Amino acid sequence: KAGVTQTPRYLIKTRGQQVTLSCSPISGHRSVSWYQQTPGQGLQFLFEYFSETQRNKGNFPGRFSGRQFSNSRSEMNVSTLELGDSALYLCASSLALSSYEQYFGPGTRLTVT
Amino acid sequence: DQQVKQNSPSLSVQEGRISILNCDYTNSMFDYFLWYKKYPAEGPTFLISISSIKDKNEDGRFTVFLNKSAKHLSLHIVPSQPGDSAVYFCAAVFGATNKLIFGTGTLLAVQP
């Protein structure tokens, strides 16, 4: 069974631009969660999507948004990029909503200059 | 405010010896704890977990201990192997939200 895939793996953007990251969950998994990893902050929860609806949300500004498609694939969008948005963005999929058993993708490394 | 803390950013251990990774938490409502391992260029992978009703869970070379009164959990790896070199994250969940709250990670280096 293929794992969670994320595209692109690396991205360089400039301040003020917007970016869209993509995540394809494990086949059959309906929940996709997004996390931001920065040095010194660990993994911080952004949001979780299940059946095309955002079900949980972390403490991030409205510049961070996402969506999920009917095939469970998910995209995350960050608008008006700031230098502090430079991070590794990880998505994780699970069979059920709010499941502890999450499978992570390799992440997208975003650098904002 | 960091609810889950890993105060040691790094740890170096000799092959064959015990590795002890520590994690402290502040929220007494957490009812489930997990450890994840992360290699460079890969996502975190689940390693071992423990429910708050237990104080120990063992899986092969990995044992997690939970001390609820001290709000402290630890991961023991015995014996340590070079392939264990990775970043280890502890995470906590409480039933009200089911969100995973991660610590900042500890980089373990096992020297051959």
Side-chain angles (χ1 to χ4, degrees):
Chain A
K1 200 183 247 188
V4 178
T5 58
Q6 291 187 245
T7 56
R9 293 293 309 277
Y10 302 92
L11 205 49
I12 299 175
K13 291 284 188 179
T14 56
R15 277 178 297 176
Q17 288 187 311
Q18 74 160 14
V19 67
T20 299
L21 313 181
S22 181
C23 172
S24 293
I26 291 172
S27 177
H29 285 194
R30 296 172 61 194
S31 172
V32 173
S33 297
W34 288 89
Y35 294 85
Q36 181 194 65
Q37 184 190 351
T38 54
Q41 291 292 319
L43 279 74
Q44 294 187 292
F45 174 76
L46 280 153
F47 29 65
E48 179 181 16
Y49 283 86
F50 183 85
S51 294
E52 303 176 62
T53 303
Q54 189 181 92
R55 304 299 182 124
N56 289 299
K57 190 175 188 307
N59 298 322
F60 279 81
R63 300 185 296 108
F64 292 81
S65 63
R67 58 178 175 167
Q68 186 180 34
F69 302 94
S70 58
N71 61 358
S72 294
R73 190 177 71 84
S74 177
E75 288 181 347
M76 190 189 91
N77 184 276
V78 188
S79 63
T80 320
L81 284 166
E82 301 176 359
L83 294 178
D85 296 334
S86 294
L88 180 68
Y89 289 90
L90 292 157
C91 89
S93 75
S94 56
L95 274 170
L97 175 66
S98 301
S99 170
Y100 303 158
E101 193 170 339
Q102 298 190 3
Y103 297 82
F104 284 83
T108 294
R109 172 72 63 187
L110 172 65
T111 301
V112 182
T113 61
Chain B
D1 181 33
Q2 198 74 26
Q3 296 189 68
V4 179
K5 300 176 186 178
Q6 294 177 258
N7 293 317
S8 298
S10 64
L11 176 68
S12 183
V13 171
Q14 286 294 120
E15 182 178 4
R17 307 293 290 268
I18 184 171
S19 295
I20 300 177
L21 297 106
N22 295 305
C23 181
D24 297 298
Y25 60 95
T26 57
N27 191 336
S28 57
M29 299 297 289
F30 287 139
D31 55 11
Y32 201 76
F33 302 88
L34 307 92
W35 284 94
Y36 281 81
K37 179 169 73 173
K38 184 181 184 299
Y39 292 118
E42 295 182 14
T45 54
F46 170 75
L47 191 58
I48 192 170
S49 63
I50 187 168
S51 165
S52 62
I53 62 173
K54 295 188 173 182
D55 54 19
K56 177 182 173 182
N57 187 27
E58 193 171 351
D59 183 2
R61 296 186 297 114
F62 302 90
T63 303
V64 56
F65 295 92
L66 176 62
N67 182 333
K68 281 178 289 185
S69 61
K71 295 192 182 69
H72 177 84
L73 71 157
S74 60
L75 174 67
H76 292 210
I77 306 174
V78 184
S80 301
Q81 299 173 352
D84 296 329
S85 298
V87 176
Y88 289 78
F89 291 96
C90 67
V93 185
F94 72 98
T97 67
N98 272 357
K99 282 193 295 189
L100 283 170
I101 310 295
F102 283 87
T104 52
T106 296
L107 174 61
L108 173 66
V110 179
Q111 310 296 334

